[in-house]
Amino acid sequence: MIATPEPDHDWKTELMAIDQSKSGIKGLVDAGLAKLPRVFVHDHLNLNIKSGPAPDNVNIPVIDFAGVNTDSTRRAMIIDEIRNACMKWGFFQVVNHGIPVITLEEMINGIRRFHEQEPEAKEKLYSRDESKKVTFNTKIDMSQTMAAYWRDTLTCVMAPNPPATQELPGTCRDIMLDYTNNVMNLGTTLFELISEALGLNPNHLKDIGCTEGLYVMGHYSPACPEPELTMGTGVHTDSGFLTVLLQDQIGGLQVLHENRWIDVTPIPGALIINLGDLLQLISNDKFISVYHRVVARNIGPRISIASFFRTYIEPQNAFRRYGPIKELLSENNPPIYKETNVVDYFKFKHLKGVEGTSALAHFKLF
């Protein structure tokens, strides 16, 4: 939940002032910010949900991909682990995933370099025009909630048609290309394994377009002077098929599991995988997309890179229809959702607002 705007507080003016500065939250901090502007204050403490470290034996699954493409016995075990994680958590961490640790570290450093360069170098990319393939901005909800989140973000649409090389910021250009190429390869493996976990042909999810689009967001959250009052990212589910998240060692990501917020403890060299709403829809609720959030911290900066596999970016894919996969349906497992296209899905989700809502219920048949 977001705090209700006060009658005497002009939230929109304050939000627009932050937006028009084009310097982001880092600009506010560098200017000596000691107290949060009102638009950053979130009333999340009213949620009657426990938060913190997981109870004993309740942890985000960690899956070791060693041998996934060379050992059939290990592959079968990994598929079982993925199936359980996707059914019960919607989240898991992956180790030995094939992306070199030095690549992960340099990607984090590259996003840090971008956000910590001189403001004038970032201003030219500051935009909310979603038709642009490379943008920088502060996370602000200008629709219903009228709130700002404690993070700045560099967004790059990297597939199927990446931006021209010169459009990518020089501070992270080479590593962005290298890292996202690695993520695309890992995504192919993940979708093969998830297909098999659903009892489908390994190429099924790839064949229906799940691996085609990649939308990358490099988040930067400076140390917050009043972290108990705001959020780095509000309560939400991801909209697409699958997200690959690289985070530094500061932490802050929490997953809602059995009505409790569970901290996702950073593991050096690991990647976090979570399912999106469209994968829950096409799996007919066999696999789940779950609520998660990022709490603000008084240390930082916190850096994370979320890579979203989703297909609506390109016009030729925008109206491709998705519904429960027919091979998963039976008399005892009828379709739960109607077919939709990603344009209609995203329009409805953003109309409802991202914070604490899921669009899936709207597309249910009963």
Side-chain angles (χ1 to χ4, degrees):
M1 296 178 64
I2 304 296
T4 303
E6 299 169 359
D8 60 346
H9 185 87
D10 190 345
W11 283 45
K12 188 169 184 177
T13 298
E14 191 167 310
L15 285 170
M16 292 304 294
I18 293 170
D19 204 38
Q20 290 170 3
S21 75
K22 298 185 178 181
S23 61
I25 292 171
K26 188 175 187 304
L28 294 175
V29 172
D30 289 347
L33 181 76
K35 185 176 177 62
L36 284 183
R38 186 70 183 87
V39 291
F40 284 99
V41 177
H42 295 241
D43 196 21
H44 64 285
L45 297 179
N46 289 341
L47 292 176
N48 295 316
I49 299 176
K50 293 181 179 179
S51 175
D56 292 343
N57 301 318
V58 180
N59 295 291
I60 304 297
V62 179
I63 303 177
D64 188 343
F65 269 27
V68 67
N69 292 317
T70 58
D71 185 329
S72 59
T73 300
R74 274 291 303 145
R75 186 179 180 91
M77 293 174 61
I78 290 168
I79 289 169
D80 283 341
E81 292 180 58
I82 287 176
R83 182 184 301 111
N84 289 333
C86 291
M87 291 174 65
K88 297 176 182 177
W89 282 89
F91 266 79
F92 54 95
Q93 297 206 61
V94 177
V95 296
N96 293 318
H97 41 68
I99 302 180
V101 171
I102 191 171
T103 300
L104 305 182
E105 292 175 346
E106 180 54 24
M107 185 60 186
I108 289 173
N109 290 337
I111 295 300
R112 180 195 295 268
R113 285 195 301 271
F114 170 81
H115 287 283
E116 293 184 352
Q117 66 185 319
E118 292 300 314
E120 294 76 16
K122 297 183 292 184
E123 282 182 5
K124 60 185 179 181
L125 290 176
Y126 199 96
S127 175
R128 298 195 183 278
D129 183 352
E130 295 187 358
S131 69
K132 294 183 177 181
K133 291 192 173 183
V134 182
T135 60
F136 157 66
N137 58 49
T138 296
K139 171 59 178 173
I140 294 177
D141 187 336
M142 295 295 289
S143 58
Q144 299 174 10
T145 54
M146 300 292 288
Y149 295 84
W150 193 255
R151 77 167 199 254
D152 295 331
T153 301
L154 170 68
T155 299
C156 303
V157 180
M158 298 301 294
N161 298 314
T165 303
Q166 64 270 21
E167 292 181 62
L168 293 169
T171 50
C172 58
R173 179 182 299 142
D174 292 343
I175 188 59
M176 177 73 74
L177 293 168
D178 182 22
Y179 175 74
T180 54
N181 182 60
N182 275 280
V183 169
M184 290 291 287
N185 291 334
L186 175 60
T188 298
T189 299
L190 286 165
F191 280 110
E192 287 177 356
L193 296 169
I194 293 171
S195 293
E196 293 185 69
L198 287 167
L200 302 168
N201 179 289
N203 290 324
H204 191 103
L205 294 178
K206 179 180 179 180
D207 289 344
I208 64 174
C210 295
T211 63
E212 291 176 0
L214 191 70
Y215 188 86
V216 180
M217 303 180 77
H219 302 309
Y220 181 97
S221 299
C224 182
E226 297 178 289
E228 70 281 1
L229 298 180
T230 192
M231 299 293 294
T233 303
V235 179
H236 70 289
T237 58
D238 289 352
S239 301
F241 296 108
L242 184 77
T243 305
V244 176
L245 178 72
L246 168 63
Q247 66 171 346
D248 62 16
Q249 298 304 298
I250 288 180
L253 175 64
Q254 296 184 327
V255 173
L256 187 61
H257 180 71
E258 296 181 351
N259 205 41
R260 183 186 182 101
W261 287 111
I262 304 295
D263 292 333
V264 180
T265 303
I267 298 174
L271 290 167
I272 299 163
I273 313 298
N274 69 276
L275 308 187
D277 293 348
L278 287 176
L279 194 49
Q280 178 168 333
L281 184 149
I282 64 176
S283 74
N284 209 42
D285 278 359
K286 183 169 184 179
F287 292 167
I288 58 174
S289 170
V290 302
Y291 285 119
H292 50 288
R293 67 183 187 181
V294 177
V295 297
R297 307 294 296 271
N298 60 2
I299 55 175
R302 177 187 186 269
I303 297 168
S304 65
I305 298 94
S307 301
F308 302 91
F309 283 91
R310 59 192 204 181
T311 66
Y312 82 101
I313 302 297
E314 300 298 324
Q316 63 267 32
N317 296 327
F319 293 97
R320 180 184 290 167
R321 299 190 68 77
Y322 288 97
I325 295 170
K326 292 179 173 54
E327 289 84 349
L328 303 179
L329 304 178
S330 66
E331 185 177 344
N332 295 325
N333 185 35
I336 296 171
Y337 300 99
K338 58 187 176 183
E339 286 191 346
T340 185
N341 62 65
V342 288
V343 170
D344 290 344
Y345 184 84
F346 278 85
K347 279 183 179 177
F348 179 79
K349 179 155 186 170
H350 289 293
L351 178 68
K352 292 281 289 183
V354 174
E355 177 82 6
T357 64
S358 171
L360 282 172
H362 175 75
F363 295 92
K364 284 195 171 183
L365 291 168
F366 52 88

